[in-house]
Amino acid sequence: MDARSLTPADLSRAHASFADCTCNAIARNAVTSVGVRKAARDPQAVALASTTFDVQLTQGDVCDQERSGRCWMFASLNTMRFRIMKKLKLKTFELSQSYPLFWDKYERCNWFFEHVIETAGEPLASRDIAFLLADPLCDGGQWDMFASLVKKYGVVPKEAMPETACSSNTGDLDGYLTRYIRMGAKRLREAVRTGAEADEVAAIKRELMDGCYRVLAICLGEPPASFEARIRDKDDKLVVNGTYTPIDFFREFVDMNLDDFVSVINAPTDDKPYLHSYSVKFLGNVIEDGGVRHVNLPIEALKRAAIAQLKDGLPVWFGSDVDQGFLPADGVLDPDALDVDTLFGLPIEAGLDKAARLDYGESLMTHAMTLQGVSLDAEGNPTRWRIENSWGDDHGKDGYDIASDRWFDEYVYQVVVDKKYLTAEELAAYKMEPIELAPWDPMGALAH
């Protein structure tokens, strides 16, 4: 028999090993009845997830991204609506999420076509081209991409461009528009490869972009060039009454210098030395604004900057691997709250450290949220973090999640903070010419 094959002796040994311990039968009975997470749930660890924090910001009603992958937009808009609520003394307020969705999809189509033209000489079988074509219009994105949209198009209140069936559930919009732009990719590649002049290729792209606009306008409605806004504060006083462009509304009421905010990542892998700047190939949306930029720092630097910004009364956008150590019903993010290794008697969670999880495909950024609070010990070190999610108020603790500091260590990969919270050395590293990472690098995963 082939030495690589499983034999009857192998099966007998595995069965005997399983039957040898009564705890395996207990674990089997529990897991087959209620599932892994409920069986592995540690109630004592869950009980530590207090909802009161030393530094705690007050936000409005919890938003809901519904059946879409717009977490990065919701998290970004949550940081901005917080400023509006504070400035105007509002009980709650919501910015339109379908407005940046329209412009992101439109800009991303242009971004895609430009890269198709640029790489037209490469074979379809190349890994880069396969990546470009795989999922060009996914809902995911990065802070830098959102900042590019806002600088160009501004923001509007939700009433000015409300949700539609296709913004709340983006599957068909993404699917049909992706099919259309793949056809466009074929036309553009063939035009370039058969020697078409640059102006001929540009004309094809303009025609294709008109088609993209049509699909988006049918699915989402056309974005307003201007709108009337009337907003009352918590005392029912009319504090906003006028006509605004989206850019003017952002400048007057959000009042945020987007260029002051930088992306700080924690990727403790050998291929990404600390105190270096990084970009990700093909990752972006607004072509004239370039791609994304991160500076890689130890996790302690991310915490220090996040705590400083929270203490100054502003929330913090961050990216993480949300499903790890997560009990959704409890709204708890804590590796200790899920004792999976004891349940199975195997080093499932303990087997890989943070760097190895990134290297071996076990972890990457999957979700963006905002930090809205932190608890500190006697030495000023964080113990728990308060997180505003975008899954509605029936999720977790009235729409919020509570993360242990150990979860932050293991599964937070990015924070976006005002550059004033970085040291001179860290800021100099951010400003370095970025090292370009592969399109499929885990530090670009939030946009896929």
Side-chain angles (χ1 to χ4, degrees), residues 110-177:
N110 184 59
W111 178 277
F112 172 72
F113 288 145
E114 285 297 322
H115 283 292
V116 166
I117 294 167
E118 178 187 318
T119 60
E122 297 183 28
L124 281 172
S126 77
R127 191 172 182 185
D128 277 0
I129 301 304
F131 181 87
L132 269 178
L133 295 173
D135 192 12
L137 284 182
C138 64
D139 286 351
Q142 269 287 347
W143 166 265
D144 287 357
M145 296 163 64
F146 192 83
S148 293
L149 293 173
V150 173
K151 284 188 283 188
K152 188 169 183 176
Y153 297 106
V155 297
V156 305
K158 191 162 189 172
E159 291 81 1
M161 190 168 178
E163 290 288 284
T164 72
C166 290
S167 64
S168 298
N169 187 342
T170 55
D172 282 345
L173 165 61
D174 289 348
Y176 288 116
L177 187 53

Side-chain angles (χ1 to χ4, degrees), residues 294-310:
H294 310 301
V295 60
N296 193 21
L297 301 177
I299 195 67
E300 291 76 20
L302 277 68
K303 294 182 189 179
R304 183 201 73 233
I307 291 170
Q309 187 159 304
L310 287 168

Side-chain angles (χ1 to χ4, degrees), residues 275-297:
L275 289 171
H276 281 272
S277 178
Y278 297 91
S279 63
V280 181
K281 188 175 183 178
F282 298 145
L283 182 55
N285 51 4
V286 179
I287 198 75
E288 67 269 23
D289 216 20
V292 304
R293 179 184 294 232
H294 310 301
V295 60
N296 193 21
L297 301 177

Side-chain angles (χ1 to χ4, degrees), residues 106 109 113 117 177 180-188 201-215:
Y106 189 60
C109 288
F113 288 145
I117 294 167
L177 187 53
Y180 174 75
I181 66 170
R182 283 177 177 148
M183 175 277 294
K186 181 176 183 292
R187 284 185 62 189
L188 289 168
V201 176
I204 294 171
K205 194 195 83 167
R206 284 194 297 272
E207 175 195 334
L208 291 167
M209 287 303 301
D210 288 347
C212 294
Y213 188 96
R214 183 185 310 166
V215 172

Side-chain angles (χ1 to χ4, degrees), residues 33 107 110 165 171 215 267 276 343 365 385:
S33 298
E107 289 282 354
N110 184 59
V215 172
H276 281 272
L343 179 68
M365 279 194 282
W385 300 83

